[in-house]
Amino acid sequence: MFADLHTTVISWYAVQARDLPWRRPGTTPWGVLVSEVMSQQTPVSRVAPVWEQWMARWPRPHDLAAAAPADVLRAWQRLGYPRRALRLRECAAAVVERFAGAVPMTEEELRTLPGVGEYTAAAVASFAHGRRALVLDTNVRRVLGRVVEGRALPPPCLTVAERRRAAALLPQDAALSVRWNEGVMELGAQVCTARAPRCDACPVADRCRWRLAGAPADPDAHRRRGQPWHGTDRQARGRIMARLRALPDGASLAEDELLAPLRTASTDPGQPERALASLLVDGLVAEPVAGRYALPT
């Protein structure tokens, strides 16, 4: 029933896929897992150079598990959400301790690892191990919603109906399912984008229900909230982390010195201290000496 759709998307992907480093021959399952964690809420254009440096330094779970937290946080650079870096280190330790250093193959086992949720487990099972798995990220949901259901954007939260529709579309053959997952995800990333879809370049535009219906507006637009950055606690946290990453090993900053730039720039008097306190709770900042702060060791 869906064979023609599968063939069209997979053939398009074979020609149009971006040359991302983790897609190249020889990439290990661990390399795929690292790429998936790094790519969460982060554009792959920013991830690619960091991933290459990371894998050159810590090519195996054993290597990352033995790394100092401060080194891991510095290597994460400005990818955002630095808790992911520490969770990835915890994940490496779990792979070493519980799976003898080999990234597990099943979704069930993958989901027992720190920082690995439903999507990441399915993606690693599919892209690293070639298993049939239902990979549903934002890009996939958007493509399937437009082509099959005629929606401008998927609902704010994944629904049972979405899951059933995607499962019905997933090829039964494992190898074919991997290429389908890759193709739909890439189509959403490159062509069927959220704000400016390039329908003229879409290989399935002639059967896209959303396009054929005249591209109706998003019925859930009023429910979606943007994620502000400037002036937020997230930005303040990022500035604190940037200052600490720039310190040499063993160095620390007094609170006044660490927070002075934030206190000057912030319109919220309590924000610098609040941001620092949250970083301490998350384990991203340590207080090796009372009143002085550094990356965790």
Side-chain angles (χ1 to χ4, degrees):
M1 179 178 179
F2 302 116
D4 183 55
L5 182 62
H6 294 155
T7 299
T8 301
V9 171
I10 291 169
S11 297
W12 173 87
Y13 177 76
V15 176
Q16 299 296 333
R18 292 167 293 178
D19 179 25
L20 300 177
W22 48 86
R23 289 178 176 168
R24 295 170 189 164
T27 300
T28 63
W30 172 244
V32 173
L33 193 157
V34 171
S35 76
E36 289 295 340
V37 173
M38 286 185 170
S39 298
Q40 293 167 5
Q41 299 178 285
T42 307
V44 296
S45 58
R46 290 174 54 198
V47 170
V50 178
W51 181 89
E52 291 187 288
Q53 295 168 19
W54 187 285
M55 293 306 298
R57 187 171 184 180
W58 300 304
R60 305 173 305 159
H62 297 78
D63 304 312
L64 183 61
D71 291 339
V72 172
L73 288 169
R74 289 192 186 98
W76 194 255
Q77 299 181 36
R78 300 184 68 85
L79 288 183
Y81 302 99
R83 277 179 292 183
R84 290 181 295 162
L86 296 185
R87 293 291 276 173
L88 192 51
R89 180 175 176 271
E90 294 172 15
C91 178
V95 170
V96 172
E97 294 168 5
R98 300 192 344 238
F99 298 100
V103 174
M105 298 181 67
T106 70
E107 292 179 71
E108 293 74 20
E109 289 178 320
L110 284 162
R111 290 187 67 177
T112 68
L113 299 174
V116 175
E118 180 180 357
Y119 162 76
T120 302
V124 173
S126 178
F127 304 144
H129 295 303
R131 299 173 72 93
R132 185 177 184 271
L134 188 61
V135 179
L136 283 175
D137 76 341
T138 301
N139 288 319
V140 174
R141 293 178 62 209
R142 184 169 57 252
V143 172
L144 298 185
R146 285 175 177 167
V147 173
V148 180
E149 191 176 345
R151 291 182 58 99
L153 293 172
C157 298
L158 181 65
T159 66
V160 173
E162 275 189 280
R163 187 184 299 280
R164 287 174 178 166
R165 180 180 63 239
L169 280 164
L170 187 67
Q172 290 297 318
D173 177 77
L176 195 63
S177 74
V178 173
R179 295 196 295 274
W180 166 253
N181 285 333
E182 292 172 332
V184 178
M185 187 178 296
E186 189 75 347
L187 188 60
Q190 287 203 66
V191 175
C192 193
T193 57
R195 295 185 179 180
R198 298 188 297 117
C199 297
D200 57 328
C202 180
V204 295
D206 61 340
R207 70 199 80 179
C208 175
R209 292 186 176 181
W210 179 67
R211 178 176 175 272
L212 295 174
D218 173 22
D220 293 311
H222 65 287
R223 298 171 56 196
R224 303 183 196 278
R225 295 186 300 172
Q227 294 185 336
W229 171 251
H230 292 289
T232 63
D233 283 9
R234 282 183 55 220
Q235 185 183 40
R237 283 164 56 100
R239 288 176 172 172
I240 292 172
M241 291 297 297
R243 296 209 72 198
L244 295 179
R245 280 198 304 269
L247 295 176
D249 286 341
S252 62
L253 287 176
E255 180 175 325
D256 286 345
E257 186 179 3
L258 176 62
L259 300 184
L262 284 177
R263 288 170 175 158
T264 300
S266 179
T267 58
D268 179 349
Q271 186 179 70
E273 286 75 13
R274 189 168 64 245
L276 176 58
S278 69
L279 289 169
L280 286 164
V281 170
D282 289 343
L284 296 170
V285 171
E287 190 176 7
V289 179
R292 299 190 67 87
Y293 300 91
L295 295 177
T297 56

